[in-house]
Amino acid sequence: MWDFLKSFLDSVTNNIKSKVTNPLLGAFVFSWLMFNWDKLALLFFGDGKVDVRVKAFKESVKWVSYGSPNAYESIYYPLITAAIYLFLMPYAHLLVQLIQSVSDLLRSKIAVKVDSKKQLNHGELIKAKAIANMQDKKGIEQVEAEIAQSQALTKKLEEEVQAHQLRTQLINEKYLESKEKANQAKIEKEEQQNKAKRQEQENEKGRFAFLRSKAEHENALISLKFPIAYNLMYELEKSVIQDDWSCSLPNLAEIIAATFGYESFEVLINDESFSALNLKKIKFIAYDADKLFARLESVISYESHKTEDDWSTDWLFEHIQSSLEHYSLKILDIESITEQITVELWDFDLLNDLLETDAVNSERAITNASFDEIDGIELQSYRWVEGDGLYISYTCIVSGSSDENKGFCGDTIDVNFELKLQLVMGGYALDGYVISKVQASVQDWGEDEKNLPNSSQTLATLKEPSEF
């Protein structure tokens, strides 16, 4: 099985190489790239999405007619350039070889003339030997030496010619080898570029998949929140219909968003804290009369142009209160919330909550009393912190009975404490209270005051909830 796959891959690879090294195809591809590099640059590195760039690239190389502008850059110019490279370049190469052959011919003629002169000199020497046969031995030896020198020079010239031919052959071989390496490097570079392009495409696909998954997750969250908002809108619509007043869906959404303190219904839907779980945590929905009634007035003005009846913001606010009662929700102004919390404090287990704080415990530890009563709960002040919640300050007295077997050192503690109603969703939906700050001090130290530690007042701040 592996041999089959290997042979199949070798066959595909050889086929691709034969197509790439084809002179006509290679010349045309190179010419086409030379005239259309700008289109390819915009395709791979231009601005915009991939489908837009691909569409623009197709339009730029699309065949329209024989005389269209893109026909010259896409067909005519590349074909002409490829033809020049294939058909005229060989003749230019032959012309260079022809010019070089002239210099080779002149070099050969010079060598022949040198040999001819040598032969003539040699003939004259022979003739002189025949004429002067009787010259002394010294003359003969001198002629022989000249002949030997001439032969040596000829041999040297022949060797130099052979060495030059060998150098020329070696240079040609090196040139062909370097050309082959250059072609191989070009093919490898193109393969690397194609591999990088494929990797870039895979990365782009992965990024698109991530964005799609993120969008699907956000849509799923919105689809879970919309039924809650729709039920609130539905209850409000049922309430106002009883007074023969109709309201469009966008304005119903605007009323619900304004009720919970959101800038718009879109912000409400995209808020992660807007959920059924947080809806159950809500104890009060506070409101700013100026801001809320201004938005209600805008809705009434838009909807009331359909009828001749007059509708008021107070009337619409009553319907909002009525629709919220189906979810056991109360919408009150901040002052009313403060008053109701003050009333409810008497029913809460406030005594045990205060006795568990560090401030009251510190004061209780230096007395001889058992504390079991709380009296005189008085409201001191309240403040609204935007994006955080409502803070309410109180004073009270915690009292108890002294141990008769111990010296009297106090049975009453003055307590200043602050409650916090934290924000759970939107701008006004509040959770139940938590004690956020406590100050305490013991009254009536008695006769043994001088024997007690000097700590008549203790301040402790409880850790506030980390989530609102």
Side-chain angles (χ1 to χ4, degrees), residues 388-448:
D388 190 7
L390 176 62
Y391 292 84
I392 311 173
S393 298
Y394 294 93
T395 60
C396 69
I397 298 173
V398 177
S399 60
S401 55
S402 301
D403 189 347
E404 297 179 355
N405 297 324
K406 296 181 181 180
F408 179 77
C409 54
D411 59 3
T412 304
I413 301 176
D414 293 328
V415 180
N416 297 328
F417 64 94
E418 185 177 66
L419 302 182
K420 177 184 178 182
L421 281 73
Q422 61 186 11
L423 207 61
V424 292
M425 70 166 62
Y428 299 114
L430 299 172
D431 197 353
Y433 81 85
V434 293
I435 300 175
S436 63
K437 185 181 295 184
V438 179
Q439 290 178 330
S441 61
V442 177
Q443 296 181 2
D444 300 327
W445 289 89
E447 297 178 355
D448 297 333

Coordinates of all heavy atoms in Angstrom, one line a residue, residues 388-448:
D388 N -23.7 51.4 41.8 CA -23.4 50.6 43.0 C -24.6 50.2 43.8 O -24.9 49.0 44.0 CB -22.4 51.4 43.9 CG -21.8 50.6 45.0 OD1 -22.0 49.3 45.0 OD2 -21.1 51.1 45.9
G389 N -25.4 51.2 44.3 CA -26.6 50.9 45.0 C -27.0 52.0 46.0 O -26.5 53.1 45.9
L390 N -27.8 51.6 46.9 CA -28.4 52.6 47.9 C -27.8 52.3 49.3 O -27.7 51.1 49.7 CB -29.9 52.4 48.0 CG -30.7 53.3 49.0 CD1 -30.5 54.8 48.7 CD2 -32.1 52.9 49.0
Y391 N -27.3 53.4 49.9 CA -26.7 53.3 51.3 C -27.6 54.1 52.2 O -28.0 55.2 52.0 CB -25.3 53.9 51.3 CG -24.3 53.0 50.5 CD1 -24.1 53.2 49.2 CD2 -23.5 52.1 51.2 CE1 -23.2 52.4 48.5 CE2 -22.6 51.4 50.5 CZ -22.4 51.5 49.1 OH -21.5 50.8 48.5
I392 N -28.0 53.4 53.4 CA -28.9 54.0 54.4 C -28.2 54.0 55.7 O -27.8 52.9 56.2 CB -30.3 53.3 54.4 CG1 -30.8 53.2 53.0 CG2 -31.2 54.1 55.3 CD1 -32.1 52.3 53.0
S393 N -28.1 55.1 56.4 CA -27.5 55.2 57.7 C -28.5 55.2 58.9 O -29.5 56.0 58.7 CB -26.5 56.4 57.8 OG -25.5 56.2 56.9
Y394 N -28.3 54.5 60.0 CA -29.2 54.4 61.1 C -28.4 54.5 62.4 O -27.2 54.3 62.5 CB -30.0 53.1 61.1 CG -31.0 53.0 60.0 CD1 -30.6 52.3 58.8 CD2 -32.3 53.4 60.1 CE1 -31.5 52.1 57.8 CE2 -33.2 53.3 59.0 CZ -32.8 52.6 57.9 OH -33.6 52.4 56.8
T395 N -29.2 54.9 63.5 CA -28.7 54.7 64.8 C -29.7 53.9 65.6 O -30.9 53.9 65.3 CB -28.5 56.1 65.5 OG1 -29.8 56.7 65.6 CG2 -27.5 57.0 64.8
C396 N -29.2 53.2 66.6 CA -30.0 52.4 67.5 C -29.3 52.1 68.8 O -28.2 52.4 69.0 CB -30.4 51.1 66.8 SG -29.1 49.9 66.7
I397 N -30.1 51.5 69.8 CA -29.5 51.2 71.1 C -29.7 49.7 71.3 O -30.8 49.2 71.2 CB -30.2 52.0 72.2 CG1 -30.0 53.5 72.0 CG2 -29.7 51.6 73.6 CD1 -30.8 54.4 73.0
V398 N -28.6 49.0 71.6 CA -28.6 47.6 72.0 C -28.5 47.5 73.5 O -27.5 48.1 74.1 CB -27.5 46.8 71.3 CG1 -27.5 45.4 71.7 CG2 -27.7 46.9 69.8
S399 N -29.4 46.9 74.2 CA -29.4 46.9 75.6 C -29.6 45.4 76.1 O -30.0 44.5 75.4 CB -30.5 47.8 76.2 OG -31.8 47.3 75.8
G400 N -29.3 45.2 77.4 CA -29.5 43.9 78.0 C -29.5 44.0 79.5 O -29.6 45.1 80.1
S401 N -29.3 42.9 80.2 CA -29.3 42.8 81.7 C -27.9 42.5 82.2 O -27.2 41.6 81.6 CB -30.3 41.8 82.1 OG -30.0 40.5 81.6
S402 N -27.6 43.1 83.3 CA -26.2 43.0 83.9 C -26.2 41.7 84.8 O -27.2 41.3 85.4 CB -25.8 44.2 84.7 OG -25.8 45.3 83.9
D403 N -25.0 41.2 84.9 CA -24.8 40.1 85.8 C -24.6 40.6 87.3 O -23.7 41.4 87.5 CB -23.5 39.3 85.4 CG -23.4 38.0 86.2 OD1 -24.0 37.8 87.2 OD2 -22.5 37.2 85.7
E404 N -25.5 40.2 88.2 CA -25.5 40.7 89.6 C -24.2 40.3 90.3 O -23.8 41.0 91.3 CB -26.7 40.2 90.3 CG -28.0 40.7 89.7 CD -29.2 40.2 90.5 OE1 -29.0 39.4 91.4 OE2 -30.3 40.6 90.2
N405 N -23.5 39.3 89.9 CA -22.3 38.8 90.6 C -21.1 39.5 90.2 O -20.0 39.2 90.7 CB -22.2 37.3 90.4 CG -23.3 36.5 90.9 OD1 -23.9 36.8 92.0 ND2 -23.7 35.4 90.3
K406 N -21.2 40.4 89.2 CA -20.1 41.2 88.7 C -20.3 42.7 88.9 O -21.5 43.1 88.9 CB -19.8 40.9 87.2 CG -19.4 39.4 86.9 CD -19.2 39.2 85.5 CE -18.8 37.8 85.2 NZ -18.6 37.5 83.7
G407 N -19.2 43.4 88.9 CA -19.4 44.8 89.0 C -20.0 45.4 87.8 O -19.7 45.0 86.7
F408 N -20.9 46.5 88.0 CA -21.5 47.1 86.9 C -20.6 47.8 86.0 O -19.8 48.7 86.5 CB -22.6 48.0 87.4 CG -23.4 48.7 86.2 CD1 -24.3 48.0 85.5 CD2 -23.1 50.0 85.9 CE1 -25.0 48.6 84.5 CE2 -23.8 50.6 84.9 CZ -24.7 49.9 84.2
C409 N -20.5 47.5 84.7 CA -19.7 48.3 83.8 C -20.4 48.5 82.4 O -19.7 48.5 81.4 CB -18.4 47.5 83.6 SG -18.5 45.8 83.1
G410 N -21.7 48.6 82.4 CA -22.4 49.0 81.2 C -23.3 47.9 80.7 O -23.0 46.7 80.7
D411 N -24.6 48.3 80.4 CA -25.6 47.4 79.8 C -26.3 48.0 78.6 O -27.3 47.5 78.2 CB -26.6 47.0 80.9 CG -27.3 48.2 81.4 OD1 -27.1 49.3 80.9 OD2 -28.2 48.0 82.3
T412 N -25.7 49.1 78.0 CA -26.3 49.7 76.9 C -25.2 50.1 75.9 O -24.2 50.7 76.3 CB -27.0 51.0 77.3 OG1 -28.0 50.6 78.2 CG2 -27.7 51.6 76.1
I413 N -25.4 49.8 74.6 CA -24.4 50.1 73.5 C -25.1 51.0 72.5 O -26.2 50.6 72.0 CB -23.9 48.9 72.9 CG1 -23.2 48.0 73.9 CG2 -22.9 49.2 71.8 CD1 -22.7 46.6 73.4
D414 N -24.5 52.2 72.2 CA -25.0 53.0 71.1 C -24.4 52.5 69.8 O -23.2 52.3 69.8 CB -24.6 54.5 71.4 CG -25.3 55.1 72.6 OD1 -26.5 54.6 72.8 OD2 -24.7 55.9 73.3
V415 N -25.2 52.3 68.8 CA -24.7 51.7 67.6 C -25.1 52.6 66.4 O -26.3 53.1 66.3 CB -25.3 50.3 67.3 CG1 -24.8 49.8 66.0 CG2 -25.0 49.4 68.5
N416 N -24.1 53.0 65.6 CA -24.4 53.6 64.3 C -24.1 52.6 63.2 O -23.0 52.0 63.2 CB -23.5 54.8 64.1 CG -23.8 55.9 65.1 OD1 -24.9 56.1 65.5 ND2 -22.7 56.6 65.5
F417 N -25.0 52.3 62.3 CA -24.7 51.3 61.3 C -25.3 51.8 59.9 O -26.2 52.7 59.9 CB -25.3 50.0 61.6 CG -26.8 49.9 61.7 CD1 -27.6 49.5 60.7 CD2 -27.4 50.3 62.9 CE1 -29.0 49.5 60.8 CE2 -28.8 50.2 63.0 CZ -29.6 49.9 62.0
E418 N -24.7 51.2 58.9 CA -25.1 51.6 57.5 C -25.5 50.3 56.8 O -24.8 49.3 56.8 CB -24.0 52.3 56.8 CG -24.4 52.8 55.4 CD -23.2 53.5 54.7 OE1 -22.2 52.9 54.4 OE2 -23.3 54.8 54.5
L419 N -26.7 50.4 56.1 CA -27.1 49.3 55.2 C -26.9 49.6 53.8 O -26.9 50.7 53.4 CB -28.6 49.0 55.4 CG -29.2 48.7 56.8 CD1 -30.7 48.5 56.8 CD2 -28.4 47.5 57.4
K420 N -26.6 48.5 53.0 CA -26.4 48.7 51.6 C -27.4 47.8 50.8 O -27.5 46.6 51.1 CB -25.0 48.3 51.2 CG -24.8 48.4 49.7 CD -23.4 47.9 49.3 CE -23.2 48.0 47.8 NZ -21.8 47.5 47.4
L421 N -28.1 48.4 49.9 CA -28.9 47.6 49.0 C -28.2 47.6 47.6 O -28.1 48.7 47.0 CB -30.3 48.2 48.8 CG -31.4 47.9 49.9 CD1 -31.0 48.7 51.2 CD2 -32.8 48.3 49.5
Q422 N -27.6 46.5 47.3 CA -26.7 46.5 46.2 C -27.5 46.3 44.8 O -28.5 45.7 44.8 CB -25.6 45.4 46.3 CG -26.2 44.0 46.4 CD -25.2 43.0 46.7 OE1 -24.0 43.3 47.0 NE2 -25.5 41.7 46.5
L423 N -26.9 46.9 43.8 CA -27.5 46.8 42.4 C -27.2 45.4 41.9 O -26.1 44.9 41.9 CB -26.8 47.9 41.6 CG -27.6 48.5 40.4 CD1 -28.9 49.2 40.9 CD2 -26.7 49.5 39.7
V424 N -28.3 44.8 41.3 CA -28.1 43.5 40.8 C -28.3 43.5 39.2 O -27.8 42.6 38.6 CB -29.1 42.5 41.4 CG1 -28.8 42.2 42.8 CG2 -30.6 43.0 41.3
M425 N -29.0 44.4 38.7 CA -29.1 44.5 37.2 C -29.5 45.9 36.8 O -30.2 46.6 37.6 CB -30.1 43.5 36.6 CG -31.5 43.7 36.9 SD -32.7 42.7 35.9 CE -32.2 41.1 36.4
G426 N -29.2 46.3 35.6 CA -29.6 47.6 35.1 C -29.1 48.7 36.0 O -28.0 48.7 36.5
G427 N -29.8 49.8 36.0 CA -29.4 51.0 36.8 C -30.1 51.2 38.1 O -29.7 52.0 38.9
Y428 N -31.2 50.4 38.3 CA -32.1 50.7 39.5 C -32.5 49.4 40.3 O -33.2 49.6 41.3 CB -33.3 51.5 39.1 CG -32.9 52.8 38.5 CD1 -33.2 53.1 37.2 CD2 -32.3 53.8 39.3 CE1 -32.9 54.4 36.7 CE2 -32.0 55.1 38.8 CZ -32.3 55.3 37.4 OH -32.0 56.5 36.9
A429 N -32.3 48.2 39.8 CA -32.8 47.0 40.4 C -31.9 46.6 41.6 O -30.8 46.4 41.5 CB -32.9 45.9 39.4
L430 N -32.5 46.6 42.8 CA -31.8 46.4 44.0 C -32.1 45.1 44.7 O -33.2 44.6 44.7 CB -32.1 47.6 45.0 CG -31.8 49.0 44.5 CD1 -32.4 50.0 45.5 CD2 -30.3 49.2 44.4
D431 N -31.1 44.5 45.3 CA -31.2 43.3 46.1 C -31.6 43.7 47.6 O -31.7 44.9 47.9 CB -29.8 42.6 46.1 CG -30.0 41.1 46.5 OD1 -31.1 40.7 47.0 OD2 -29.0 40.4 46.4
G432 N -31.7 42.7 48.4 CA -32.0 43.0 49.8 C -30.8 43.6 50.5 O -29.7 43.6 50.0
Y433 N -31.0 44.1 51.8 CA -29.9 44.8 52.4 C -28.8 43.9 53.0 O -29.1 42.8 53.3 CB -30.5 45.7 53.5 CG -30.8 45.0 54.8 CD1 -29.8 44.9 55.8 CD2 -32.0 44.5 55.1 CE1 -30.0 44.2 57.0 CE2 -32.3 43.8 56.3 CZ -31.3 43.7 57.2 OH -31.5 43.0 58.4
V434 N -27.6 44.5 53.1 CA -26.5 43.9 53.9 C -26.0 45.0 54.8 O -26.0 46.2 54.4 CB -25.4 43.3 53.0 CG1 -25.9 42.1 52.3 CG2 -24.9 44.3 52.0
I435 N -25.4 44.7 55.9 CA -24.8 45.7 56.8 C -23.4 45.9 56.3 O -22.6 45.0 56.2 CB -24.8 45.2 58.3 CG1 -26.2 44.9 58.8 CG2 -24.1 46.2 59.2 CD1 -26.3 44.3 60.1
S436 N -23.1 47.1 55.9 CA -21.8 47.4 55.3 C -20.9 48.1 56.3 O -19.7 48.1 56.1 CB -22.0 48.3 54.1 OG -22.6 49.6 54.4
K437 N -21.4 48.8 57.3 CA -20.5 49.6 58.2 C -21.1 49.7 59.6 O -22.3 49.9 59.7 CB -20.1 50.9 57.6 CG -19.1 51.7 58.4 CD -18.9 53.1 57.8 CE -18.3 53.0 56.4 NZ -17.9 54.3 55.8
V438 N -20.4 49.5 60.7 CA -20.9 49.6 62.0 C -19.9 50.4 62.9 O -18.7 50.2 62.9 CB -21.1 48.2 62.6 CG1 -21.7 48.3 64.0 CG2 -22.1 47.4 61.7
Q439 N -20.5 51.3 63.8 CA -19.8 51.9 64.8 C -20.5 51.6 66.1 O -21.8 51.7 66.1 CB -19.6 53.4 64.6 CG -18.7 53.8 63.5 CD -18.6 55.3 63.2 OE1 -19.6 56.0 63.5 NE2 -17.5 55.8 62.8
A440 N -19.8 51.4 67.2 CA -20.5 51.1 68.5 C -19.7 51.6 69.7 O -18.5 51.7 69.6 CB -20.6 49.6 68.7
S441 N -20.4 52.0 70.8 CA -19.8 52.5 72.0 C -20.7 52.2 73.2 O -21.9 52.3 73.1 CB -19.5 54.0 71.9 OG -20.7 54.8 71.8
V442 N -20.1 51.9 74.3 CA -20.8 51.5 75.5 C -21.2 52.7 76.3 O -20.4 53.7 76.4 CB -20.0 50.5 76.4 CG1 -20.7 50.2 77.7 CG2 -19.7 49.3 75.6
Q443 N -22.4 52.8 76.9 CA -22.9 53.8 77.8 C -22.7 53.4 79.2 O -22.7 52.2 79.5 CB -24.3 54.2 77.6 CG -24.7 54.7 76.2 CD -26.1 55.0 76.0 OE1 -26.9 54.9 77.0 NE2 -26.5 55.5 74.9
D444 N -22.6 54.4 80.2 CA -22.6 54.1 81.6 C -21.6 53.1 82.1 O -21.9 51.9 82.4 CB -24.0 53.6 82.0 CG -25.1 54.7 81.7 OD1 -24.8 55.9 81.8 OD2 -26.2 54.3 81.4
W445 N -20.4 53.5 82.1 CA -19.3 52.6 82.6 C -19.4 52.2 84.1 O -19.0 51.2 84.5 CB -17.9 53.2 82.3 CG -17.6 53.2 80.9 CD1 -17.9 54.2 80.0 CD2 -17.0 52.2 80.1 NE1 -17.6 53.9 78.7 CE2 -17.0 52.6 78.8 CE3 -16.5 50.9 80.4 CZ2 -16.4 51.8 77.8 CZ3 -15.9 50.2 79.4 CH2 -15.9 50.6 78.1
G446 N -20.0 53.1 84.9 CA -20.2 52.9 86.3 C -18.9 53.1 87.1 O -17.9 53.7 86.7
E447 N -18.9 52.5 88.3 CA -17.8 52.7 89.3 C -16.5 52.1 88.9 O -15.5 52.6 89.3 CB -18.3 52.2 90.7 CG -19.5 52.9 91.2 CD -19.9 52.3 92.6 OE1 -19.3 51.3 93.0 OE2 -20.8 52.8 93.2
D448 N -16.6 51.0 88.1 CA -15.3 50.3 87.8 C -14.7 50.8 86.5 O -13.9 50.2 85.9 CB -15.6 48.8 87.6 CG -16.1 48.2 89.0 OD1 -15.7 48.8 90.0 OD2 -16.8 47.2 88.9

